[in-house]
Amino acid sequence: MKKINHNKNYATKKKYGQNFLNDSSLSDKILDVASINKNVEVLEIGSGLGFLTKKLITNSKFLTSFEIDDDLIPILKKKFGKYENFDLVHRDFLEVDLSEFLENKKDVKVVANIPYYITSPIINKLLEYRENIDEIYLMVQKEVAERIVSKPHSKNMSLLTHAVQFYAETEYLFTVPKEKFDPVPKVDSAFLGIKILKNKKYESQISEEKYFKYLREAFSNKRKSISNNLSNLGFSKDFVKECLKKVGKTELARAEEFSVQGFIDFIRILEG
């Protein structure tokens, strides 16, 4: 553990992946790009020492903030206990039933600086509640942000890319140097925007079960072509190659060449 400047009585815990923002202008920029105002209800994951929390409370309609660390709770209660538009939840976000907090709510925004090691589980959980959540703004590892916003033919295109872009539009908003955190992490971060597709653009075309069944196999071995990988679903390589031609791909096409819409079209051809 390492003592930091925010509070002399607190030391960060490695097990929670704690890296706290230490730049006031950066927190203002976060509120600006996320369009936080007094009409918006916000959900924060990981209050930390409340650096961003304070700005969210004073600029939003209501803030629900989750914090797992026992030692941070008294600090946060002392700082923000007087605010009526603030609910501090002392629980593990990944184990919380979010319907308890989002019931009858629409267009909630999520703003969070999340631990690198649980980025995917957090995003997956938030996407499950896309009927209640409108926009998600996350501070994540730069490399992960690049993967989530990547386009077809990029080496960063992955299962995670599709897992997010099937439900939402994604945007790489800005890079955050590692020196903006305390303690300083090993890599730079990025602020990422995820806007839920309320028109269910892709969900209206294909079930998520079917889409991800094919997608998991297509990405099962990134070194191999789709015609090889889809043999696990019982398709012959020659048949898959013919289907690839029909969607304008070569016989050796790999999964990272497809956009979400392109992959939906490909599945339709596969299923005849």
Side-chain angles (χ1 to χ4, degrees), residues 152-153 157 159 162 211 213-245 247-260 262-267 269-270:
H153 298 282
M157 200 74 176
L159 191 58
H162 282 260
Y211 184 81
K213 177 185 78 171
Y214 282 98
L215 194 72
R216 279 190 292 270
E217 292 301 334
F219 277 102
S220 60
N221 189 329
K222 286 195 75 172
R223 293 183 178 182
K224 292 186 176 181
S225 66
I226 281 188
S227 57
N228 273 292
N229 287 340
L230 291 189
S231 61
N232 294 331
L233 293 177
F235 295 107
S236 73
K237 292 179 184 177
D238 288 339
F239 174 72
V240 177
K241 287 176 180 178
E242 286 302 314
C243 293
L244 286 166
K245 288 180 184 177
V247 293
K249 301 293 183 184
T250 69
E251 293 183 353
L252 298 176
R254 288 186 167 88
E256 59 262 33
E257 296 180 30
F258 284 87
S259 64
V260 174
F263 200 70
I264 290 173
D265 296 339
F266 176 57
I267 292 171
I269 296 293
L270 277 173

Tab-separated table of all heavy atoms in Angstrom, residues 152-153 157 159 162 211 213-245 247-260 262-267 269-270:
chain	number	residue	atom	x	y	z
A	152	PRO	N	-13.720	-2.409	-38.176
A	152	PRO	CA	-13.336	-3.603	-38.930
A	152	PRO	C	-11.959	-3.470	-39.576
A	152	PRO	O	-11.561	-2.382	-39.993
A	152	PRO	CB	-14.429	-3.703	-39.994
A	152	PRO	CG	-15.612	-3.067	-39.363
A	152	PRO	CD	-15.069	-1.940	-38.526
A	153	HIS	N	-11.238	-4.583	-39.610
A	153	HIS	CA	-9.885	-4.704	-40.154
A	153	HIS	C	-8.809	-4.213	-39.191
A	153	HIS	O	-7.615	-4.314	-39.494
A	153	HIS	CB	-9.736	-3.988	-41.506
A	153	HIS	CG	-10.615	-4.556	-42.586
A	153	HIS	ND1	-10.305	-5.716	-43.251
A	153	HIS	CD2	-11.794	-4.131	-43.070
A	153	HIS	CE1	-11.266	-5.973	-44.127
A	153	HIS	NE2	-12.190	-5.030	-44.041
A	157	MET	N	-9.801	-5.229	-33.130
A	157	MET	CA	-11.169	-5.755	-33.208
A	157	MET	C	-11.236	-7.093	-32.478
A	157	MET	O	-10.420	-7.979	-32.712
A	157	MET	CB	-11.560	-5.932	-34.674
A	157	MET	CG	-13.039	-6.005	-34.918
A	157	MET	SD	-13.814	-4.388	-34.744
A	157	MET	CE	-15.502	-4.779	-35.207
A	159	LEU	N	-13.796	-9.840	-29.589
A	159	LEU	CA	-15.095	-10.232	-29.051
A	159	LEU	C	-15.663	-9.112	-28.182
A	159	LEU	O	-16.864	-8.823	-28.214
A	159	LEU	CB	-14.930	-11.521	-28.236
A	159	LEU	CG	-16.183	-12.264	-27.791
A	159	LEU	CD1	-17.041	-12.666	-28.970
A	159	LEU	CD2	-15.805	-13.496	-26.978
A	162	HIS	N	-17.360	-6.303	-30.262
A	162	HIS	CA	-18.718	-6.658	-30.681
A	162	HIS	C	-19.676	-6.703	-29.490
A	162	HIS	O	-20.844	-6.325	-29.621
A	162	HIS	CB	-18.713	-8.013	-31.390
A	162	HIS	CG	-18.240	-7.951	-32.797
A	162	HIS	ND1	-19.102	-7.945	-33.881
A	162	HIS	CD2	-16.996	-7.894	-33.324
A	162	HIS	CE1	-18.400	-7.892	-35.009
A	162	HIS	NE2	-17.119	-7.863	-34.691
A	211	TYR	N	-26.452	-14.374	-32.232
A	211	TYR	CA	-25.319	-13.545	-32.661
A	211	TYR	C	-24.036	-13.954	-31.959
A	211	TYR	O	-22.999	-14.180	-32.596
A	211	TYR	CB	-25.629	-12.070	-32.386
A	211	TYR	CG	-24.559	-11.122	-32.892
A	211	TYR	CD1	-24.525	-10.750	-34.233
A	211	TYR	CD2	-23.588	-10.594	-32.048
A	211	TYR	CE1	-23.552	-9.887	-34.718
A	211	TYR	CE2	-22.616	-9.737	-32.511
A	211	TYR	CZ	-22.604	-9.385	-33.850
A	211	TYR	OH	-21.628	-8.541	-34.325
A	213	LYS	N	-23.400	-16.706	-30.301
A	213	LYS	CA	-23.022	-18.110	-30.544
A	213	LYS	C	-22.052	-18.173	-31.732
A	213	LYS	O	-20.990	-18.802	-31.651
A	213	LYS	CB	-24.264	-18.955	-30.850
A	213	LYS	CG	-23.940	-20.406	-31.180
A	213	LYS	CD	-25.182	-21.196	-31.606
A	213	LYS	CE	-25.563	-20.895	-33.033
A	213	LYS	NZ	-26.629	-21.791	-33.542
A	214	TYR	N	-22.408	-17.489	-32.810
A	214	TYR	CA	-21.540	-17.458	-33.984
A	214	TYR	C	-20.264	-16.652	-33.719
A	214	TYR	O	-19.178	-17.024	-34.165
A	214	TYR	CB	-22.288	-16.850	-35.179
A	214	TYR	CG	-23.246	-17.800	-35.842
A	214	TYR	CD1	-24.596	-17.778	-35.539
A	214	TYR	CD2	-22.812	-18.725	-36.793
A	214	TYR	CE1	-25.494	-18.651	-36.146
A	214	TYR	CE2	-23.689	-19.598	-37.405
A	214	TYR	CZ	-25.035	-19.557	-37.081
A	214	TYR	OH	-25.918	-20.424	-37.681
A	215	LEU	N	-20.424	-15.543	-32.997
A	215	LEU	CA	-19.286	-14.660	-32.768
A	215	LEU	C	-18.200	-15.340	-31.934
A	215	LEU	O	-17.008	-15.221	-32.227
A	215	LEU	CB	-19.760	-13.381	-32.073
A	215	LEU	CG	-18.752	-12.236	-32.075
A	215	LEU	CD1	-18.632	-11.639	-33.474
A	215	LEU	CD2	-19.166	-11.154	-31.090
A	216	ARG	N	-18.614	-16.040	-30.886
A	216	ARG	CA	-17.627	-16.731	-30.030
A	216	ARG	C	-16.802	-17.730	-30.837
A	216	ARG	O	-15.582	-17.831	-30.656
A	216	ARG	CB	-18.334	-17.425	-28.864
A	216	ARG	CG	-18.670	-16.504	-27.704
A	216	ARG	CD	-19.136	-17.271	-26.486
A	216	ARG	NE	-20.429	-17.889	-26.719
A	216	ARG	CZ	-21.600	-17.287	-26.462
A	216	ARG	NH1	-21.627	-16.080	-25.973
A	216	ARG	NH2	-22.732	-17.925	-26.695
A	217	GLU	N	-17.451	-18.434	-31.728
A	217	GLU	CA	-16.710	-19.394	-32.562
A	217	GLU	C	-15.825	-18.673	-33.572
A	217	GLU	O	-14.691	-19.085	-33.828
A	217	GLU	CB	-17.683	-20.331	-33.290
A	217	GLU	CG	-18.426	-21.283	-32.376
A	217	GLU	CD	-17.503	-22.193	-31.580
A	217	GLU	OE1	-16.371	-22.467	-32.028
A	217	GLU	OE2	-17.913	-22.611	-30.480
A	218	ALA	N	-16.323	-17.590	-34.146
A	218	ALA	CA	-15.546	-16.844	-35.144
A	218	ALA	C	-14.250	-16.301	-34.555
A	218	ALA	O	-13.219	-16.241	-35.226
A	218	ALA	CB	-16.381	-15.701	-35.708
A	219	PHE	N	-14.287	-15.930	-33.270
A	219	PHE	CA	-13.107	-15.389	-32.596
A	219	PHE	C	-12.365	-16.441	-31.760
A	219	PHE	O	-11.424	-16.104	-31.045
A	219	PHE	CB	-13.495	-14.224	-31.682
A	219	PHE	CG	-13.611	-12.900	-32.391
A	219	PHE	CD1	-14.854	-12.390	-32.721
A	219	PHE	CD2	-12.481	-12.176	-32.730
A	219	PHE	CE1	-14.976	-11.169	-33.362
A	219	PHE	CE2	-12.586	-10.958	-33.378
A	219	PHE	CZ	-13.833	-10.445	-33.707
A	220	SER	N	-12.778	-17.688	-31.846
A	220	SER	CA	-12.201	-18.722	-30.973
A	220	SER	C	-10.708	-18.912	-31.190
A	220	SER	O	-9.974	-19.257	-30.265
A	220	SER	CB	-12.939	-20.058	-31.161
A	220	SER	OG	-12.847	-20.494	-32.509
A	221	ASN	N	-10.241	-18.666	-32.405
A	221	ASN	CA	-8.806	-18.690	-32.688
A	221	ASN	C	-8.518	-17.583	-33.695
A	221	ASN	O	-8.767	-17.740	-34.888
A	221	ASN	CB	-8.381	-20.053	-33.239
A	221	ASN	CG	-6.866	-20.189	-33.328
A	221	ASN	OD1	-6.149	-19.205	-33.537
A	221	ASN	ND2	-6.371	-21.406	-33.165
A	222	LYS	N	-7.995	-16.464	-33.200
A	222	LYS	CA	-7.818	-15.281	-34.058
A	222	LYS	C	-6.802	-15.511	-35.176
A	222	LYS	O	-6.794	-14.789	-36.168
A	222	LYS	CB	-7.403	-14.067	-33.223
A	222	LYS	CG	-8.535	-13.474	-32.399
A	222	LYS	CD	-8.198	-12.095	-31.870
A	222	LYS	CE	-8.267	-11.059	-32.960
A	222	LYS	NZ	-8.123	-9.668	-32.453
A	223	ARG	N	-5.961	-16.506	-35.016
A	223	ARG	CA	-4.965	-16.787	-36.055
A	223	ARG	C	-5.570	-17.533	-37.241
A	223	ARG	O	-4.979	-17.593	-38.314
A	223	ARG	CB	-3.812	-17.608	-35.472
A	223	ARG	CG	-2.969	-16.850	-34.461
A	223	ARG	CD	-1.800	-17.694	-33.989
A	223	ARG	NE	-0.949	-16.983	-33.049
A	223	ARG	CZ	0.153	-17.481	-32.518
A	223	ARG	NH1	0.530	-18.723	-32.831
A	223	ARG	NH2	0.873	-16.780	-31.673
A	224	LYS	N	-6.722	-18.134	-37.000
A	224	LYS	CA	-7.357	-18.940	-38.048
A	224	LYS	C	-8.463	-18.160	-38.759
A	224	LYS	O	-9.037	-17.220	-38.214
A	224	LYS	CB	-7.924	-20.229	-37.450
A	224	LYS	CG	-6.854	-21.203	-36.965
A	224	LYS	CD	-7.489	-22.512	-36.517
A	224	LYS	CE	-6.428	-23.526	-36.112
A	224	LYS	NZ	-7.034	-24.823	-35.705
A	225	SER	N	-8.779	-18.588	-39.956
A	225	SER	CA	-9.848	-17.959	-40.727
A	225	SER	C	-11.204	-18.368	-40.171
A	225	SER	O	-11.324	-19.354	-39.435
A	225	SER	CB	-9.751	-18.376	-42.201
A	225	SER	OG	-10.000	-19.765	-42.320
A	226	ILE	N	-12.222	-17.613	-40.543
A	226	ILE	CA	-13.580	-17.933	-40.098
A	226	ILE	C	-14.016	-19.305	-40.608
A	226	ILE	O	-14.700	-20.050	-39.912
A	226	ILE	CB	-14.565	-16.842	-40.580
A	226	ILE	CG1	-14.446	-15.624	-39.665
A	226	ILE	CG2	-16.001	-17.343	-40.580
A	226	ILE	CD1	-15.473	-14.559	-39.896
A	227	SER	N	-13.595	-19.653	-41.814
A	227	SER	CA	-13.996	-20.961	-42.367
A	227	SER	C	-13.460	-22.111	-41.522
A	227	SER	O	-14.094	-23.165	-41.414
A	227	SER	CB	-13.522	-21.106	-43.824
A	227	SER	OG	-12.126	-20.930	-43.926
A	228	ASN	N	-12.317	-21.906	-40.888
A	228	ASN	CA	-11.773	-22.906	-39.964
A	228	ASN	C	-12.537	-22.902	-38.638
A	228	ASN	O	-12.941	-23.942	-38.140
A	228	ASN	CB	-10.288	-22.638	-39.693
A	228	ASN	CG	-9.386	-23.297	-40.709
A	228	ASN	OD1	-9.272	-24.520	-40.766
A	228	ASN	ND2	-8.768	-22.484	-41.546
A	229	ASN	N	-12.718	-21.709	-38.091
A	229	ASN	CA	-13.331	-21.604	-36.766
A	229	ASN	C	-14.789	-22.057	-36.733
A	229	ASN	O	-15.230	-22.647	-35.737
A	229	ASN	CB	-13.221	-20.163	-36.249
A	229	ASN	CG	-11.801	-19.807	-35.834
A	229	ASN	OD1	-10.974	-20.683	-35.575
A	229	ASN	ND2	-11.497	-18.519	-35.772
A	230	LEU	N	-15.527	-21.787	-37.808
A	230	LEU	CA	-16.950	-22.143	-37.797
A	230	LEU	C	-17.206	-23.622	-38.039
A	230	LEU	O	-18.344	-24.082	-37.941
A	230	LEU	CB	-17.730	-21.298	-38.804
A	230	LEU	CG	-17.867	-19.805	-38.465
A	230	LEU	CD1	-18.838	-19.126	-39.424
A	230	LEU	CD2	-18.335	-19.596	-37.033
A	231	SER	N	-16.153	-24.357	-38.315
A	231	SER	CA	-16.320	-25.814	-38.454
A	231	SER	C	-16.778	-26.424	-37.129
A	231	SER	O	-17.397	-27.493	-37.097
A	231	SER	CB	-15.019	-26.467	-38.920
A	231	SER	OG	-13.978	-26.246	-37.978
A	232	ASN	N	-16.513	-25.723	-36.026
A	232	ASN	CA	-16.962	-26.188	-34.712
A	232	ASN	C	-18.482	-26.193	-34.584
A	232	ASN	O	-19.040	-26.837	-33.692
A	232	ASN	CB	-16.379	-25.300	-33.605
A	232	ASN	CG	-14.868	-25.424	-33.502
A	232	ASN	OD1	-14.297	-26.457	-33.823
A	232	ASN	ND2	-14.218	-24.358	-33.061
A	233	LEU	N	-19.153	-25.430	-35.481
A	233	LEU	CA	-20.619	-25.398	-35.475
A	233	LEU	C	-21.213	-26.345	-36.514
A	233	LEU	O	-22.424	-26.333	-36.749
A	233	LEU	CB	-21.108	-23.963	-35.725
A	233	LEU	CG	-20.798	-22.945	-34.617
A	233	LEU	CD1	-21.267	-21.551	-35.023
A	233	LEU	CD2	-21.463	-23.350	-33.300
A	234	GLY	N	-20.345	-27.137	-37.138
A	234	GLY	CA	-20.836	-28.150	-38.075
A	234	GLY	C	-20.866	-27.730	-39.534
A	234	GLY	O	-21.344	-28.477	-40.397
A	235	PHE	N	-20.337	-26.523	-39.833
A	235	PHE	CA	-20.295	-26.066	-41.220
A	235	PHE	C	-19.027	-26.566	-41.906
A	235	PHE	O	-17.950	-26.563	-41.303
A	235	PHE	CB	-20.310	-24.536	-41.292
A	235	PHE	CG	-21.576	-23.912	-40.795
A	235	PHE	CD1	-21.605	-23.252	-39.569
A	235	PHE	CD2	-22.741	-23.971	-41.545
A	235	PHE	CE1	-22.764	-22.664	-39.097
A	235	PHE	CE2	-23.907	-23.377	-41.079
A	235	PHE	CZ	-23.925	-22.732	-39.860
A	236	SER	N	-19.151	-26.977	-43.156
A	236	SER	CA	-17.951	-27.367	-43.901
A	236	SER	C	-17.186	-26.102	-44.301
A	236	SER	O	-17.785	-25.029	-44.474
A	236	SER	CB	-18.327	-28.149	-45.150
A	236	SER	OG	-18.890	-27.283	-46.133
A	237	LYS	N	-15.885	-26.230	-44.436
A	237	LYS	CA	-15.061	-25.071	-44.803
A	237	LYS	C	-15.466	-24.516	-46.169
A	237	LYS	O	-15.514	-23.295	-46.361
A	237	LYS	CB	-13.584	-25.460	-44.812
A	237	LYS	CG	-13.020	-25.767	-43.439
A	237	LYS	CD	-11.553	-26.162	-43.518
A	237	LYS	CE	-11.019	-26.563	-42.141
A	237	LYS	NZ	-9.608	-27.007	-42.215
A	238	ASP	N	-15.780	-25.412	-47.094
A	238	ASP	CA	-16.162	-24.961	-48.437
A	238	ASP	C	-17.453	-24.154	-48.410
A	238	ASP	O	-17.580	-23.145	-49.108
A	238	ASP	CB	-16.320	-26.167	-49.375
A	238	ASP	CG	-14.985	-26.808	-49.742
A	238	ASP	OD1	-13.951	-26.109	-49.615
A	238	ASP	OD2	-14.970	-27.984	-50.142
A	239	PHE	N	-18.405	-24.596	-47.596
A	239	PHE	CA	-19.675	-23.872	-47.500
A	239	PHE	C	-19.456	-22.475	-46.911
A	239	PHE	O	-19.997	-21.482	-47.410
A	239	PHE	CB	-20.677	-24.645	-46.633
A	239	PHE	CG	-21.952	-23.903	-46.377
A	239	PHE	CD1	-22.884	-23.731	-47.388
A	239	PHE	CD2	-22.222	-23.349	-45.122
A	239	PHE	CE1	-24.069	-23.027	-47.166
A	239	PHE	CE2	-23.392	-22.649	-44.888
A	239	PHE	CZ	-24.324	-22.495	-45.914
A	240	VAL	N	-18.653	-22.390	-45.863
A	240	VAL	CA	-18.380	-21.091	-45.239
A	240	VAL	C	-17.659	-20.167	-46.219
A	240	VAL	O	-17.949	-18.972	-46.284
A	240	VAL	CB	-17.550	-21.260	-43.944
A	240	VAL	CG1	-17.202	-19.892	-43.347
A	240	VAL	CG2	-18.314	-22.086	-42.915
A	241	LYS	N	-16.738	-20.723	-46.989
A	241	LYS	CA	-16.016	-19.917	-47.979
A	241	LYS	C	-16.968	-19.328	-49.024
A	241	LYS	O	-16.813	-18.173	-49.442
A	241	LYS	CB	-14.941	-20.765	-48.659
A	241	LYS	CG	-13.744	-21.066	-47.760
A	241	LYS	CD	-12.755	-21.996	-48.446
A	241	LYS	CE	-11.563	-22.297	-47.522
A	241	LYS	NZ	-10.603	-23.254	-48.150
A	242	GLU	N	-17.956	-20.118	-49.443
A	242	GLU	CA	-18.954	-19.629	-50.396
A	242	GLU	C	-19.791	-18.502	-49.783
A	242	GLU	O	-20.099	-17.509	-50.445
A	242	GLU	CB	-19.873	-20.778	-50.839
A	242	GLU	CG	-19.229	-21.763	-51.793
A	242	GLU	CD	-18.720	-21.095	-53.071
A	242	GLU	OE1	-19.469	-20.282	-53.667
A	242	GLU	OE2	-17.561	-21.350	-53.461
A	243	CYS	N	-20.130	-18.656	-48.530
A	243	CYS	CA	-20.906	-17.622	-47.838
A	243	CYS	C	-20.093	-16.340	-47.685
A	243	CYS	O	-20.630	-15.231	-47.788
A	243	CYS	CB	-21.356	-18.132	-46.466
A	243	CYS	SG	-22.556	-19.473	-46.544
A	244	LEU	N	-18.796	-16.492	-47.415
A	244	LEU	CA	-17.922	-15.324	-47.303
A	244	LEU	C	-17.875	-14.547	-48.620
A	244	LEU	O	-17.907	-13.306	-48.623
A	244	LEU	CB	-16.504	-15.758	-46.898
A	244	LEU	CG	-16.326	-16.186	-45.442
A	244	LEU	CD1	-14.996	-16.904	-45.248
A	244	LEU	CD2	-16.413	-14.974	-44.499
A	245	LYS	N	-17.828	-15.239	-49.717
A	245	LYS	CA	-17.820	-14.581	-51.031
A	245	LYS	C	-19.088	-13.764	-51.235
A	245	LYS	O	-19.059	-12.661	-51.797
A	245	LYS	CB	-17.703	-15.624	-52.144
A	245	LYS	CG	-16.338	-16.270	-52.260
A	245	LYS	CD	-16.340	-17.280	-53.400
A	245	LYS	CE	-15.010	-18.030	-53.504
A	245	LYS	NZ	-15.057	-19.067	-54.573
A	247	VAL	N	-20.791	-12.160	-49.123
A	247	VAL	CA	-20.786	-10.890	-48.384
A	247	VAL	C	-19.530	-10.071	-48.695
A	247	VAL	O	-19.164	-9.156	-47.960
A	247	VAL	CB	-20.911	-11.118	-46.852
A	247	VAL	CG1	-22.280	-11.671	-46.516
A	247	VAL	CG2	-19.808	-12.017	-46.317
A	248	GLY	N	-18.869	-10.425	-49.792
A	248	GLY	CA	-17.749	-9.630	-50.266
A	248	GLY	C	-16.435	-9.841	-49.542
A	248	GLY	O	-15.550	-8.983	-49.575
A	249	LYS	N	-16.296	-10.998	-48.885
A	249	LYS	CA	-15.057	-11.308	-48.171
A	249	LYS	C	-14.274	-12.398	-48.918
A	249	LYS	O	-14.834	-13.161	-49.703
A	249	LYS	CB	-15.363	-11.795	-46.746
A	249	LYS	CG	-16.140	-10.819	-45.890
A	249	LYS	CD	-15.348	-9.573	-45.555
A	249	LYS	CE	-16.126	-8.650	-44.627
A	249	LYS	NZ	-15.402	-7.386	-44.375
A	250	THR	N	-12.983	-12.480	-48.631
A	250	THR	CA	-12.171	-13.528	-49.236
A	250	THR	C	-12.356	-14.837	-48.466
A	250	THR	O	-12.881	-14.859	-47.352
A	250	THR	CB	-10.676	-13.165	-49.218
A	250	THR	OG1	-10.211	-13.199	-47.855
A	250	THR	CG2	-10.442	-11.771	-49.794
A	251	GLU	N	-11.890	-15.914	-49.039
A	251	GLU	CA	-11.997	-17.231	-48.406
A	251	GLU	C	-11.223	-17.305	-47.091
A	251	GLU	O	-11.543	-18.113	-46.223
A	251	GLU	CB	-11.478	-18.316	-49.356
A	251	GLU	CG	-12.326	-18.507	-50.600
A	251	GLU	CD	-11.801	-19.639	-51.473
A	251	GLU	OE1	-10.703	-20.171	-51.166
A	251	GLU	OE2	-12.481	-19.992	-52.446
A	252	LEU	N	-10.208	-16.470	-46.970
A	252	LEU	CA	-9.354	-16.497	-45.774
A	252	LEU	C	-9.725	-15.411	-44.757
A	252	LEU	O	-8.950	-15.122	-43.847
A	252	LEU	CB	-7.884	-16.345	-46.185
A	252	LEU	CG	-7.326	-17.454	-47.085
A	252	LEU	CD1	-5.894	-17.120	-47.497
A	252	LEU	CD2	-7.383	-18.804	-46.391
A	253	ALA	N	-10.913	-14.822	-44.913
A	253	ALA	CA	-11.336	-13.732	-44.022
A	253	ALA	C	-11.326	-14.169	-42.564
A	253	ALA	O	-11.646	-15.313	-42.229
A	253	ALA	CB	-12.726	-13.261	-44.416
A	254	ARG	N	-10.936	-13.236	-41.707
A	254	ARG	CA	-10.939	-13.474	-40.265
A	254	ARG	C	-12.027	-12.631	-39.598
A	254	ARG	O	-12.528	-11.666	-40.174
A	254	ARG	CB	-9.574	-13.137	-39.664
A	254	ARG	CG	-8.486	-14.151	-40.034
A	254	ARG	CD	-7.189	-13.829	-39.290
A	254	ARG	NE	-6.248	-14.920	-39.364
A	254	ARG	CZ	-5.354	-15.086	-40.335
A	254	ARG	NH1	-5.311	-14.211	-41.339
A	254	ARG	NH2	-4.520	-16.114	-40.314
A	255	ALA	N	-12.324	-12.980	-38.376
A	255	ALA	CA	-13.430	-12.346	-37.658
A	255	ALA	C	-13.262	-10.837	-37.513
A	255	ALA	O	-14.250	-10.093	-37.549
A	255	ALA	CB	-13.590	-12.993	-36.290
A	256	GLU	N	-12.013	-10.370	-37.352
A	256	GLU	CA	-11.796	-8.942	-37.116
A	256	GLU	C	-12.115	-8.066	-38.328
A	256	GLU	O	-12.099	-6.840	-38.239
A	256	GLU	CB	-10.369	-8.665	-36.639
A	256	GLU	CG	-9.286	-9.108	-37.576
A	256	GLU	CD	-8.693	-10.459	-37.184
A	256	GLU	OE1	-9.441	-11.301	-36.654
A	256	GLU	OE2	-7.492	-10.653	-37.415
A	257	GLU	N	-12.438	-8.683	-39.464
A	257	GLU	CA	-12.796	-7.909	-40.660
A	257	GLU	C	-14.249	-7.440	-40.655
A	257	GLU	O	-14.649	-6.625	-41.477
A	257	GLU	CB	-12.532	-8.747	-41.919
A	257	GLU	CG	-11.068	-9.093	-42.133
A	257	GLU	CD	-10.843	-9.913	-43.393
A	257	GLU	OE1	-11.634	-9.753	-44.358
A	257	GLU	OE2	-9.895	-10.720	-43.423
A	258	PHE	N	-15.049	-7.949	-39.720
A	258	PHE	CA	-16.485	-7.691	-39.740
A	258	PHE	C	-16.922	-6.598	-38.771
A	258	PHE	O	-16.478	-6.545	-37.629
A	258	PHE	CB	-17.251	-8.972	-39.380
A	258	PHE	CG	-17.306	-9.985	-40.484
A	258	PHE	CD1	-16.292	-10.912	-40.646
A	258	PHE	CD2	-18.382	-10.019	-41.351
A	258	PHE	CE1	-16.340	-11.852	-41.660
A	258	PHE	CE2	-18.444	-10.960	-42.369
A	258	PHE	CZ	-17.419	-11.880	-42.531
A	259	SER	N	-17.842	-5.762	-39.249
A	259	SER	CA	-18.588	-4.868	-38.364
A	259	SER	C	-19.745	-5.675	-37.780
A	259	SER	O	-19.984	-6.827	-38.183
A	259	SER	CB	-19.154	-3.692	-39.162
A	259	SER	OG	-20.101	-4.171	-40.111
A	260	VAL	N	-20.484	-5.084	-36.860
A	260	VAL	CA	-21.645	-5.781	-36.300
A	260	VAL	C	-22.657	-6.075	-37.397
A	260	VAL	O	-23.127	-7.208	-37.541
A	260	VAL	CB	-22.306	-4.947	-35.176
A	260	VAL	CG1	-23.605	-5.603	-34.707
A	260	VAL	CG2	-21.352	-4.787	-34.000
A	262	GLY	N	-22.183	-6.204	-40.614
A	262	GLY	CA	-21.602	-7.151	-41.562
A	262	GLY	C	-21.684	-8.583	-41.066
A	262	GLY	O	-21.941	-9.511	-41.841
A	263	PHE	N	-21.503	-8.767	-39.774
A	263	PHE	CA	-21.547	-10.117	-39.218
A	263	PHE	C	-22.981	-10.638	-39.164
A	263	PHE	O	-23.223	-11.825	-39.384
A	263	PHE	CB	-20.904	-10.148	-37.827
A	263	PHE	CG	-20.487	-11.530	-37.406
A	263	PHE	CD1	-19.418	-12.166	-38.021
A	263	PHE	CD2	-21.173	-12.206	-36.413
A	263	PHE	CE1	-19.036	-13.456	-37.654
A	263	PHE	CE2	-20.799	-13.485	-36.023
A	263	PHE	CZ	-19.729	-14.121	-36.652
A	264	ILE	N	-23.936	-9.755	-38.904
A	264	ILE	CA	-25.344	-10.155	-38.939
A	264	ILE	C	-25.715	-10.628	-40.350
A	264	ILE	O	-26.362	-11.667	-40.536
A	264	ILE	CB	-26.257	-8.987	-38.508
A	264	ILE	CG1	-26.084	-8.700	-37.019
A	264	ILE	CG2	-27.734	-9.302	-38.808
A	264	ILE	CD1	-26.808	-7.455	-36.529
A	265	ASP	N	-25.289	-9.865	-41.358
A	265	ASP	CA	-25.558	-10.238	-42.747
A	265	ASP	C	-24.929	-11.590	-43.084
A	265	ASP	O	-25.528	-12.412	-43.792
A	265	ASP	CB	-25.024	-9.161	-43.699
A	265	ASP	CG	-25.734	-7.822	-43.525
A	265	ASP	OD1	-26.861	-7.818	-42.991
A	265	ASP	OD2	-25.151	-6.790	-43.926
A	266	PHE	N	-23.740	-11.816	-42.568
A	266	PHE	CA	-23.039	-13.074	-42.810
A	266	PHE	C	-23.785	-14.257	-42.184
A	266	PHE	O	-23.924	-15.321	-42.795
A	266	PHE	CB	-21.618	-12.968	-42.258
A	266	PHE	CG	-20.809	-14.222	-42.364
A	266	PHE	CD1	-20.598	-14.842	-43.593
A	266	PHE	CD2	-20.244	-14.801	-41.232
A	266	PHE	CE1	-19.849	-16.010	-43.682
A	266	PHE	CE2	-19.503	-15.959	-41.318
A	266	PHE	CZ	-19.296	-16.572	-42.539
A	267	ILE	N	-24.292	-14.065	-40.972
A	267	ILE	CA	-25.049	-15.136	-40.295
A	267	ILE	C	-26.297	-15.480	-41.108
A	267	ILE	O	-26.655	-16.656	-41.262
A	267	ILE	CB	-25.432	-14.700	-38.859
A	267	ILE	CG1	-24.186	-14.602	-37.981
A	267	ILE	CG2	-26.414	-15.709	-38.237
A	267	ILE	CD1	-24.427	-13.982	-36.616
A	269	ILE	N	-26.686	-15.277	-44.302
A	269	ILE	CA	-26.262	-16.064	-45.470
A	269	ILE	C	-25.951	-17.501	-45.033
A	269	ILE	O	-26.344	-18.471	-45.694
A	269	ILE	CB	-25.004	-15.431	-46.141
A	269	ILE	CG1	-25.334	-14.053	-46.697
A	269	ILE	CG2	-24.468	-16.346	-47.237
A	269	ILE	CD1	-26.293	-14.044	-47.866
A	270	LEU	N	-25.271	-17.647	-43.913
A	270	LEU	CA	-24.933	-18.973	-43.399
A	270	LEU	C	-26.171	-19.823	-43.163
A	270	LEU	O	-26.191	-21.023	-43.433
A	270	LEU	CB	-24.171	-18.853	-42.082
A	270	LEU	CG	-22.673	-18.593	-42.108
A	270	LEU	CD1	-22.178	-18.332	-40.685
A	270	LEU	CD2	-21.899	-19.751	-42.730
